[in-house]
Amino acid sequence: TTTYATFKEAWNAANSGGRAVLTLYQDVNVYSAMGYSTLTVNAGSDIELRGGSYTITSSKRTGDDPGSDMPVTSGLNTIDVNGAFTLTSGTITNTSSDVGTNALLVRSGTTDFISGGAVTGQTGINVEGGSLTVTGGTVNGSAQGISITNGGSANISGGNVSASAGNGIYVSGNSKLTMTNGTVYGSKCGVEVWCTGESGLSSAALSGGNISGGEWKDGKVAITLNTFDVGESRCNALVV
């Protein structure tokens, strides 16, 4: 175990390739610690974050450019995963309310595991072609708890996913959701699968857990948890 004087030194060491465990001993504001607003997990790096009671935050800031008082928005993502990332404890948050911001972005060909802790943002986790596994912890977004797009996949077997002003989980773009346990709630929809105009089929295999939403779309409600493939326009918004 190596102890570093600053978070920047610790992050850069953990992000230099291969497997590393990063333990927090204080809260971290990404811009203050790094000089930029998004932490990127490099390709080839595999970082496990043990944050304990501490939080990593990216937030809106102003006046970064010398001589400028124009507002500058935080990085779109608090953590941008280009390798592999695991959260076992601690909190990752993006406090910007701007559309398209995420606490975690999981890119194509990469993997993300949530076994504990909390992830919070305008979208909690955006799985943009990558692979996400949630076995515990909480994921919360205002617009989406979890968004799965561009051929991404998510496997939910535990934890709590919610959205305060949108969908708990949103699936589109030839993507796949598998859920065997856990809790999902969205003020709009618990789970929404969108397929209009897609070249491929999105799917959701739901065999367990608790899914609820505040709005039923088009009267298309699956009363029991089951497996379904979405490829018809009548399934534009399917709520389970």
Side-chain angles (χ1 to χ4, degrees), residues 43-219:
S45 292
D46 182 353
I47 298 175
E48 177 186 342
L49 177 64
R50 299 177 182 176
S53 62
Y54 300 108
T55 300
I56 294 178
T57 304
S58 183
S59 58
K60 184 170 286 189
R61 47 191 167 78
T62 58
D64 292 335
D65 299 324
S68 172
D69 59 359
M70 295 298 290
V72 181
T73 303
S74 68
L76 288 178
N77 318 294
T78 301
I79 299 181
D80 187 335
V81 181
N82 290 269
F85 179 77
T86 299
L87 177 66
T88 56
S89 66
T91 300
I92 300 166
T93 184
N94 190 304
T95 62
S96 174
S97 60
D98 293 344
V99 174
T101 55
N102 314 288
L104 277 176
L105 175 64
V106 185
R107 293 191 181 272
S108 179
T110 68
T111 57
D112 191 277
F113 299 89
I114 308 296
S115 61
V119 181
T120 304
Q122 206 259 355
T123 294
I125 303 177
N126 185 358
V127 185
E128 198 172 82
S131 172
L132 169 69
T133 300
V134 179
T135 61
T138 63
V139 181
N140 178 263
S142 52
Q144 319 276 358
I146 297 173
S147 175
I148 313 165
T149 63
N150 296 338
S153 65
N155 190 314
I156 313 295
S157 61
N160 188 308
V161 180
S162 64
S164 58
N167 303 309
I169 300 178
Y170 175 74
V171 188
S172 71
N174 197 24
S175 300
K176 182 177 181 179
L177 167 67
T178 302
M179 182 173 174
T180 58
N181 207 342
T183 300
V184 176
Y185 169 79
S187 63
K188 179 186 176 185
C189 305
V191 173
E192 180 174 1
V193 181
W194 186 265
C195 64
T196 296
E198 293 182 7
S199 58
L201 303 182
S202 292
S203 67
L206 311 174
S207 60
N210 187 332
I211 302 172
S212 60
E215 178 182 312
W216 303 118
K217 303 291 287 186
D218 301 333

